[in-house]
Amino acid sequence: MSAALTPIDFLLRAAEAFPEGAALIAAERRVSWRELALDARQLAAALSASGVLLGDRVALLLPNARPLLTALWGIPMAGAVSVALGPRHDPAALAAALAECGAKALIIDYEYHPQAIELAGGFKGLVVDARPGGDREHSDNLL
């Protein structure tokens, strides 16, 4: 009898079987399966250390890039659930969706979404800036 292959299993198996294989190619940047698995593990550990628990929801307002892939694997590794927010919504609709889903954390890219600071400012949970170096004035940087 074989076990089901979960998305997390897929990532970990790909990182083991093809560590230097391309998991993501964006412009001139290439990310290996090993790097992506490491990023996801680090995010999972950071979320857990920040109080994100099994079944908690983590909202995402990110472009289709490396931070989104990291989050889509790292969040379930922490036992949490991803909630994608629609980047084309206005601040009021984003705030309503964020409140409705009951997110404990929000992973956001301030440069990607012009209303991000306003949205993050009204959010009472953990706010994570997805950009390397991050906006430490408005958020924690776990990625």
Side-chain angles (χ1 to χ4, degrees), residues 111-131:
E111 289 182 355
Y112 173 65
H113 202 280
Q115 294 89 7
I117 291 175
E118 180 181 340
L119 179 64
F123 182 64
K124 301 301 181 217
L126 173 69
V127 178
V128 179
D129 187 347
R131 294 175 299 134

Side-chain angles (χ1 to χ4, degrees), residues 55-59 81 83 85 95-106 123 125:
D56 283 343
R57 286 166 296 286
V58 178
V81 178
V83 179
L85 298 177
L98 191 56
E100 179 75 22
C101 78
K104 187 168 189 176
L106 170 64
F123 182 64

